């Protein structure tokens, strides 16, 4: 079992230093089981601890409005780096650094990297601390390593589900990307954004593998949802209500474009955009999602209708071509 | 198919009269499919229409914070009567009066009422307009009819999932309750609150039936969850984040009582309290729900742990007895 660093001493110090009386703990799904233990730790400082049970997939989703309404004076947000959302209640970010070492996974990746010289490195916030070790192992094996820094993220080399600028900014300089982390989602994002071969070095399972087939499958899926949306007449334009996911202006632009192309658009707002949520609108043929792209990209088959990104919508209505979008990167802003 | 009155002329007049530029439409799940059509109607007035897709089970859940954050200047809330939630954005309530007539269902109920003389009448907001017709039919059949008015609800005779005061206030004066409406939930609430025989006259299906067996089953279920919670050591005290469901003071009182009885309580806040939400906390043995009682009462078997109302928690820790609670009514405040 891989552990995570919950920085308990740091949290206690922050509570004491700020004289916080009421602390809201917010954790992503994979870490929520630790919440009761952390609440007891907070209570020992004399502050009242409140656990947020709502789904949380990123720092875009920080519970600022909820905290304000509860009289909370400090949010402790776990598992994500700051996303630039400023609320009235101050927040401490605990990135929950994973205890996994990267050596075994990177050594497993070396044979898969044998035909490449220039390697782009990327990871999620949990494994940033082993990125330099990964670089060292690759350099020792004779590789040139580039870690991107677009200036848009909290850290160089960091990717999140809606921002791959740290890899697109160096794509032209590298032959392949090595992603350090678990799961397919972020690595697929890298492949979709850069059209480069992408390899995962998974420090949880100590294994490495290429995701070329999965990337090809995802491309076919994305083209299929675009094709389906091309014949749609009514479009639901989804606006997220989470503080860092609310792109109302972008939605209004999509609405205008839809009208220009003879489509009927409806603005739809939601906090959680789920397959069940969209089942309530049988008369809507397809959706354009301006909130978190992960919602529809991770499991498109769970949605009964096409759910497009704004970029994909531009292809569906013919404002740009699929080839141009691939060149620009599926996640480009 | 039963229709509902969406009061479209009234909505258009309100938008024009108020000069609203941006209108948020909020509908409960059963009516959401009408949202695109209503959005088109709003757009014809020149206002921008936004549809809320988040779940909505009552006027306790009016989207005031969301509306404010979107720059909305009028909320149109369908399917519920006002609940007393005041936000910064004005709201128009469209109660979505059902077109179903009550005659056939009440005539079917008469044989089931043959051994009773004094009948208490109750309904939900959709069927309030046929309540007097139901009364007339019962009086014509020689019955005495009482319609309760506790002063707590928008209308006499109206019940909602968390307030049965219109029936408890007249329970001692009647032999039986006749509930006009669909579904078992509200009728079970009447039976649980009053311990009186309860009969449903369903104007959707034009049929009538007694729910004694279902009420007995629900009582057994509630006793089972209380018994299970009696051996719990850790309690999650659930606080709802929807404006009319946030009972933070009540939760703090439950926390204090839990501590007094040697239990370990955790305050947990959530917008949507679902079986999945609670699965994230394996170390918590049982829950006390201070938000909407419907959450756990409608389908307790979907939750893997006991989810008690505050009243049931008082029984579980021995502050009152099950018999006393039944006498007082399961939903008493």
């Amino acid at each position: 079992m891989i552990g995570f660093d919950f920085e308990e001493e740091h949290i206690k110090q922050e509570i004491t230093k700020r004289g916080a009386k009421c602390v809201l703990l917010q954790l992503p799904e994979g870490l929520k089981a630790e919440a009761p233990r952390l609440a007891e730790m907070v209570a020992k400082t004399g502050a009242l601890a409140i656990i947020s049970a709502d789904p949380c997939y990123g720092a875009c989703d920080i519970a600022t409005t909820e905290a304000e309404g509860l009289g909370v004076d400090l949010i402790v947000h776990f598992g994500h780096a700051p996303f630039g959302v400023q609320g009235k209640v101050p927040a401490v970010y605990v990135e929950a650094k994973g205890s996994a070492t990267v050596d075994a996974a990177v050594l497993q990746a070396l044979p898969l990297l044998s035909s490449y010289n220039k390697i782009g490195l990327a990871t999620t916030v949990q494994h940033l601390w082993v990125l330099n070790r990964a670089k060292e192992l690759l350099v020792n094996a004779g590789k040139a390593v580039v870690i991107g820094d677009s200036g848009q993220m909290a850290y160089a080399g960091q990717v999140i589900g809606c921002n791959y600028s740290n890899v697109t900014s160096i794509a032209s300089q590298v032959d392949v990307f090595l992603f350090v982390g678990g799961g397919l989602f972020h690595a697929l994002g890298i492949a979709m954004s850069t059209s480069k071969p992408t390899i995962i070095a998974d420090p949880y399972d100590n294994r490495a593998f290429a995701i070329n087939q999965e990337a090809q499958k995802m491309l076919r899926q994305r083209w299929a949802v675009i094709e389906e949306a091309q014949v749609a007449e009514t479009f639901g334009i989804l606006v997220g209500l989470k503080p860092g996911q609310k792109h109302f202006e972008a939605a209004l632009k999509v609405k205008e474009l839809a009208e220009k192309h003879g489509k009927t658009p409806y603005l739809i707002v939601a906090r959680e955009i789920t397959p069940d949520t969209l089942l309530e609108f049988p008369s809507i043929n397809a959706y354009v999602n301006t909130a978190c792209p992960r919602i529809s990209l991770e499991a498109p088959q769970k949605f009964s209708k096409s759910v497009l990104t704004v970029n994909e919508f531009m292809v569906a209505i013919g404002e740009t071509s699929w080839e141009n979008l691939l060149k620009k990167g599926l996640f480009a802003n």
Side-chain angles (χ1 to χ4, degrees), chain A:
Chain A
M1 172 66 192
I2 303 298
F4 294 93
D5 181 2
F6 290 96
E7 301 179 28
E8 295 170 47
E9 281 312 310
H10 172 211
I11 297 169
K12 283 194 263 186
Q13 282 164 16
E14 288 284 349
I15 293 171
T16 311
K17 191 178 82 187
R18 295 162 187 258
K21 299 264 178 297
C22 185
V23 176
L24 183 67
L25 302 174
Q26 198 185 14
L27 301 96
E29 308 321 277
L31 302 179
K32 274 197 170 74
E34 296 295 321
R37 188 178 62 74
L38 294 165
E40 286 181 49
M41 179 269 291
V42 169
K44 279 186 190 141
T45 69
L48 184 70
I50 304 178
I51 298 164
S52 166
D54 282 325
C56 175
Y57 301 104
C60 53
D61 188 10
I62 186 160
T64 48
T65 324
E66 293 85 344
E68 213 184 314
L70 288 163
V72 162
D73 43 25
L74 182 65
I75 301 172
V76 185
H77 184 102
F78 294 85
H80 311 118
F83 188 74
V85 176
Q86 289 299 331
K88 287 186 188 154
V89 181
V92 170
Y93 290 83
V94 174
E95 292 162 4
K97 200 162 82 172
S99 66
T101 52
V102 77
D103 293 46
V106 172
L107 294 178
Q108 294 238 3
L110 284 178
L112 304 171
L113 296 166
S114 60
S115 57
Y116 306 111
N117 287 318
K118 293 175 190 162
I119 298 167
L121 257 184
T123 187
T124 53
V125 74
Q126 274 74 40
H127 306 290
L128 277 162
W129 69 288
V130 293
L131 209 57
N132 275 332
R133 174 63 184 156
K135 181 178 176 177
E136 193 179 21
L137 291 166
L138 294 170
V139 169
N140 288 349
K143 306 291 184 185
V145 174
V146 189
I147 297 176
D149 191 353
S150 64
Q152 294 176 27
M153 305 298 301
Y155 301 99
Q158 184 197 0
V159 292
I160 59 173
C162 60
N163 194 322
Y164 291 91
S165 56
N166 277 345
V167 290
T168 53
S169 64
I170 56 164
S172 64
Q173 306 165 41
V174 304
D175 307 321
V176 63
F177 278 99
L178 183 67
F179 170 74
V180 174
L184 281 174
F185 181 71
H186 292 97
L188 280 171
I190 294 172
M192 296 294 114
S193 300
T194 63
S195 296
K196 292 279 175 182
T198 303
I199 288 161
I200 294 179
D202 181 339
Y204 298 112
D205 290 344
N206 286 326
R207 64 181 188 129
F209 53 101
I211 56 153
N212 303 342
Q213 281 191 338
E214 290 80 0
Q216 286 306 315
K217 186 183 162 194
M218 191 173 183
L219 278 180
R220 285 194 303 272
Q221 277 178 337
R222 299 322 301 165
W223 176 244
V225 298
I226 291 171
E227 269 199 315
E228 204 181 299
Q230 279 172 337
V231 296
E233 299 195 344
T234 50
F235 280 83
I237 305 168
L238 299 167
V239 182
L241 285 170
K242 303 191 176 193
Q245 294 184 11
K246 196 197 280 180
H247 303 121
F248 197 48
E249 290 302 319
L252 289 176
K253 277 183 202 152
V254 171
K255 179 174 181 285
E256 210 173 287
L257 269 173
E259 282 161 352
K260 179 184 143 193
H261 285 266
K263 311 291 189 183
T264 307
Y266 302 99
L267 289 171
I268 298 183
V269 298
R271 188 164 299 271
E272 304 293 339
I273 298 166
T274 67
D276 279 353
T277 304
L278 303 190
L279 281 179
E280 297 289 332
F281 304 103
S283 68
I284 292 179
N285 304 145
Y287 292 88
V288 186
N289 172 21
T290 68
C292 168
R294 185 161 191 163
I295 291 164
S296 49
L297 293 182
E298 195 155 22
Q301 68 283 3
K302 288 191 182 166
F303 287 86
S304 65
K305 307 275 176 72
S306 279
V307 184
L308 308 178
T309 63
V310 175
N311 286 336
E312 291 167 342
F313 174 70
M314 301 301 268
V315 177
I317 57 171
E319 287 276 328
T320 187
S321 71
W322 178 233
E323 292 69 29
N324 274 343
L325 177 56
L326 291 183
K327 211 180 290 170
K328 191 173 97 165
L330 230 64
F331 289 82
N333 291 317

